[in-house]
Amino acid sequence: MNMQPKTLLQKENNFSVWYNEILKRAEILDVRYPVKGVYVWYPYGYKLRNLIYAILRSLMDKEHEETLFPLLIPKEELMKEREHIKGFEEEVFWVTKGGSTELDIPLALRPTSETAIYPVFKVWIRSHRDLPLRIYQIVNTFRYETRHTRPLIRLREITSFKEAHTAHANRADAEEQVKKAVALYKSFFDELAIPYVITRRPEWDKFPGAEYSIAFDTLMPDGKAMQIATIHLLGESFARTFDIKYEDKDGSLKYVNQTCYGISERCVAAVIAVHGDDHGLILPPGVAPIQVVIVPIVYSSGGKNGEVEKVCFAMYETLKKAGIRVFFDNSGDRPGAKYYRWEMKGVPLRIEIGPRDMRSNSCEFVRRDDGSRTQVPLVDVVSAVKRTLNEIQSCIAKRAKETFFANIYKSEEEPSTKAAHGIVSIFLCKSERCGREAEERFGISVLGEAIYEDEDARGRKNEGTCMICSRKAKRVYVARAY
Ligand code: PR8
């Protein structure tokens, strides 16, 4: 068989090169657009993105309403919330001209939409009956990132920013919403088979304007943590700034209590990076644009091969009717070239049919996740495909989880060596001085205190002394981070 040259991709040894090659070879993202930190989705990548976001949408739609706010924010609104603008000042892109005319009021491209949405909340929210208000949008946002930009990971145009904004009658309701958002994001990442730790970010690293921030972090193959979602309790700070009040049952006027939470296309980056291998992508069946590819084992068209193609086509029709995302590769390429292509693109299941299989009324299943082959009778194909896709989904999830938890350590001393490849929990007090000192000394970032019990934290001693100042301290997660 005339196979393609063996791939030179090495995920474990050189993740950065692997990642960039995969984006290109699997046709996820074209990085040749001539603006720094701004990229183009290939159609295949965009399909993957849409399937991932369809899961997110269906989870959000249960309790939120989707909406769409403008991209442009007047300067005075953006500048209103002191803490908020302090955090974003250096990241804002400005529109200052219309043609050759200077604008009276400069307009910001939203870096996030609090200051676009909350002036409207002020007019939408009148009474306790308007609460809770829960909306979300999926939009592009712009951040002038000065750190090294990376496709899907650190963008100047975030193309797929899912931001939710909620308003509640009191703090207890807002805190309840934070918990619900955490549960929602857990379901989302579980469906993508992406493992995570959930932490409460340290005071000095919270979202600008928030009372506290909670983050989900996953681990990339190079051992660095990547923040894949955040949830912020805003309390009354924005409500006071934007004067968002409601009339309570007793007639009194009260400020609303708010939360916001967001996810970007980093979730796509995580799917690619966590599951892929040296042959390319491995996509969870739930989000694979093509779940099954049918490859006829024929070496020229016509003659007896016509029979094979007929059977393949019939199978294609049957699977399609059964709701499977299936593709019949009847291109003129040799089978080896087809294997290479669909493995690169991460198609979970390949079905091969050749003259020999025809004689036994069967076909061969080849799994992308472990390469295993099984002979399946043609009459059982639909149920066997469904069962196999489910198995692949759980195997991928199990493997990702095992790798993840094998790289979470606890350390009583210096975290530097362990944090070279993973997330380490150490004792650190809450002070910014000690946090920064640890970050500098060990070359890590403080992720924060694990707030929700996870498998790793269970049963672990949680009180100790700060490794910098020796005062009383709790365990916090640290890691090298994206
Ligand atoms: C908020 N306001 O904005 P957040 N490129 C790709 N992904 C990014 C980038 C970037 N440059 N910057 C952040 N993210 C709140 C919540 C509305 C919604 C991703 O929060 O600034 C990160 O995964 O924390 C981050 O956790 C998420 O967007 C939300 O951004």
Side-chain angles (χ1 to χ4, degrees):
M1 216 175 286
N2 183 12
M3 292 288 282
Q4 290 278 323
K6 249 216 164 328
T7 164
L8 294 173
L9 292 177
Q10 290 192 311
K11 182 177 163 187
E12 299 305 324
N13 296 344
N14 200 338
F15 170 67
S16 206
V17 171
W18 178 91
Y19 182 69
N20 289 325
E21 276 299 311
I22 292 290
L23 292 182
K24 182 166 73 186
R25 294 199 207 177
E27 297 185 313
I28 301 296
L29 212 65
D30 195 325
V31 300
R32 292 172 292 186
Y33 197 76
V35 178
K36 186 177 156 62
V38 174
Y39 309 98
V40 180
W41 288 100
Y42 279 107
Y44 186 73
Y46 196 58
K47 284 193 188 98
L48 171 64
R49 177 260 188 212
N50 285 346
L51 285 160
I52 291 175
Y53 277 72
I55 294 178
L56 189 52
R57 260 204 176 90
S58 79
L59 288 167
M60 294 299 297
D61 286 344
K62 287 179 189 158
E63 264 201 345
H64 305 70
E65 286 193 292
E66 188 169 0
T67 169
L68 189 55
F69 275 73
L71 163 66
L72 298 170
I73 304 176
K75 183 172 181 184
E76 62 214 62
E77 298 295 353
L78 188 82
M79 293 302 194
K80 261 186 191 157
E81 222 294 324
R82 235 186 59 244
E83 287 301 313
H84 188 63
I85 191 56
K86 245 183 21 207
F88 276 106
E89 209 156 35
E90 292 304 315
E91 291 187 17
V92 178
F93 280 96
W94 288 104
V95 178
T96 56
K97 278 186 177 176
S100 55
T101 313
E102 289 285 335
L103 298 180
D104 292 341
I105 301 167
L107 300 169
L109 300 185
R110 59 182 163 216
T112 166
S113 304
E114 284 73 9
T115 58
I117 293 175
Y118 299 165
V120 179
F121 271 16
K122 175 183 161 60
V123 296
W124 281 0
I125 298 169
R126 298 273 119 199
S127 123
H128 61 91
R129 282 184 299 273
D130 299 324
L131 300 175
L133 179 62
R134 288 183 281 235
I135 55 127
Y136 78 97
Q137 60 177 3
I138 300 175
V139 294
N140 56 350
T141 56
F142 294 82
R143 295 185 180 183
Y144 184 73
E145 296 280 359
T146 46
R147 286 200 282 160
H148 185 60
T149 53
R150 252 178 231 277
L152 305 178
I153 295 174
R154 181 159 288 105
L155 304 160
R156 286 190 172 171
E157 180 183 0
I158 308 173
T159 68
S160 312
F161 196 65
K162 192 287 296 167
E163 50 178 325
H165 297 269
T166 71
H168 306 267
N170 54 53
R171 189 186 166 97
D173 289 359
E175 292 221 88
E176 194 49 40
Q177 188 62 38
V178 165
K179 287 198 183 124
K180 282 186 178 179
V182 169
L184 192 153
Y185 283 175
K186 274 181 160 179
S187 312
F188 175 59
F189 289 114
D190 290 346
E191 285 208 39
L192 302 181
I194 298 296
Y196 46 78
V197 288
I198 308 171
T199 61
R200 183 168 166 144
R201 285 284 186 258
E203 262 314 280
W204 70 86
D205 193 28
K206 60 187 190 184
F207 182 68
E211 272 187 37
Y212 63 78
S213 295
I214 289 168
F216 282 60
D217 286 270
T218 193
L219 253 188
M220 297 296 258
D222 56 2
K224 284 205 230 167
M226 179 169 75
Q227 176 182 295
I228 46 174
T230 43
I231 299 136
H232 314 289
L233 182 86
L234 302 177
E236 288 183 359
S237 61
F238 284 89
R240 287 176 185 275
T241 305
F242 290 94
D243 194 35
I244 314 171
K245 287 191 206 126
Y246 70 98
E247 191 180 325
D248 209 348
K249 285 177 192 143
D250 61 5
S252 62
L253 275 182
K254 288 180 179 156
Y255 286 114
V256 296
N257 215 290
Q258 292 176 274
T259 80
C260 69
Y261 32 102
I263 279 183
S264 76
E265 55 255 59
R266 281 187 183 187
C267 62
V268 181
V271 167
I272 292 169
V274 167
H275 303 307
D277 68 8
D278 290 356
H279 298 281
L281 298 178
I282 297 180
L283 295 177
V287 297
I290 298 172
Q291 296 170 307
V292 177
V293 64
I294 303 172
V295 178
I297 309 300
V298 294
Y299 297 95
S300 61
S301 54
K304 270 194 186 156
N305 293 332
E307 288 300 306
V308 172
E309 293 201 356
K310 244 178 24 211
V311 171
C312 288
F313 191 70
M315 182 185 288
Y316 164 78
E317 291 282 312
T318 311
L319 288 174
K320 207 169 113 178
K321 261 201 214 117
I324 310 281
R325 292 188 291 274
V326 56
F327 185 79
F328 172 27
D329 189 351
N330 61 351
S331 67
D333 296 336
R334 291 181 167 276
K338 294 180 183 178
Y339 300 165
Y340 174 86
R341 172 160 68 238
W342 300 115
E343 281 175 8
M344 185 57 72
K345 286 183 180 279
V347 175
L349 182 62
R350 181 170 81 230
I351 302 181
E352 299 177 7
I353 307 179
R356 205 155 33 97
D357 305 302
M358 296 262 298
R359 283 195 290 277
S360 59
N361 279 320
S362 66
C363 58
E364 193 157 33
F365 278 20
V366 187
R367 279 170 59 160
R368 174 66 182 89
D369 60 323
D370 63 4
S372 65
R373 290 175 171 270
T374 325
Q375 204 71 25
V376 176
L378 288 177
V379 290
D380 294 342
V381 160
V382 172
S383 59
V385 162
K386 287 187 175 163
R387 195 177 54 242
T388 310
L389 291 180
N390 283 337
E391 272 169 30
I392 294 173
Q393 181 87 25
S394 33
C395 283
I396 291 177
K398 185 163 168 274
R399 189 157 74 188
K401 222 171 177 181
E402 279 167 8
T403 311
F404 184 75
F405 284 106
N407 286 295
I408 300 212
Y409 311 96
K410 72 176 164 181
S411 168
E412 308 303 329
E413 330 90 47
E414 283 216 356
S416 348
T417 44
K418 293 280 190 196
H421 209 286
I423 298 176
V424 191
S425 80
I426 58 172
F427 288 117
L428 213 52
C429 75
K430 283 200 156 92
S431 84
E432 175 166 0
R433 211 181 56 81
C434 289
R436 298 261 189 223
E437 165 99 34
E439 292 194 331
E440 201 148 295
R441 205 190 290 175
F442 308 129
I444 43 93
S445 299
V446 176
L447 303 181
E449 200 180 308
I451 48 161
Y452 295 92
E453 188 97 330
D454 56 54
E455 280 169 35
D456 182 61
R458 212 165 283 154
R460 145 179 316 177
K461 183 167 78 87
N462 252 343
E463 304 264 314
T465 55
C466 174
M467 68 166 48
I468 304 291
C469 72
S470 302
R471 276 179 303 190
K472 220 171 119 184
K474 284 196 169 158
R475 277 196 178 279
V476 297
Y477 280 127
V478 304
R480 290 187 305 130
Y482 270 87

